[in-house]
Amino acid sequence: MKIIDLSLLKKDDFSIKTMTGQEYVIDGNFTTEFFLSLYDAYEKVQSTIKKNNVRAATELMKNIVIEILNLDPSLNEPVTKETLKAQKMDSFEVLQLILTSTMQQANEIGPNNPLSESPTSN
């Protein structure tokens, strides 16, 4: 009998630690819906930056970062724009780092993924 072991696709969870010490733990495997939302948001941010509209790009990043942080299942209250400000995560560079790091996580191939050495994975 052949077994298809989907546990090999499990990515490591990751943690976002704020400058105030608050930590958000995010499951390394996103839902397809969130994955697509993340990509759409990333594209919109990049397009907005190219148009030199940093204010609008910052607002877009705040919205997607809120979605990212709200993936932490241990939260007692949802993350809001006020949370970002209180946790000192509302600056352009911090928002961009969180978004970029999450995109890297989304694109990462899990450590035990059998496709990592497949000719079709290149």
Side-chain angles (χ1 to χ4, degrees), residues 7-13 28-29 105 108-117:
S7 70
L8 296 174
L9 299 175
K10 174 69 176 125
K11 294 180 184 179
D12 291 334
D13 295 348
N29 288 85
Q105 176 70 21
E108 183 177 289
I109 295 177
N112 298 317
N113 187 331
L115 298 176
S116 64
E117 296 183 23

Side-chain angles (χ1 to χ4, degrees), residues 18-59:
T18 69
M19 288 181 245
T20 63
Q22 175 72 34
E23 196 165 344
Y24 297 88
V25 178
I26 311 300
D27 187 322
N29 288 85
F30 309 125
T31 64
T32 300
E33 183 179 328
F34 179 76
F35 184 79
L36 296 173
S37 177
L38 179 66
Y39 267 87
D40 288 346
Y42 186 80
E43 290 296 319
K44 285 179 189 172
V45 167
Q46 295 306 314
S47 173
T48 307
I49 290 171
K50 286 179 184 174
K51 295 176 184 173
N52 292 322
N53 194 342
V54 177
R55 185 178 304 275
T58 302
E59 287 304 310

Side-chain angles (χ1 to χ4, degrees), residues 18-20 83-91 94:
T18 69
M19 288 181 245
T20 63
T83 309
L84 296 181
K85 191 172 185 176
Q87 295 296 332
K88 301 181 185 208
M89 292 187 293
D90 62 343
S91 74
V94 169

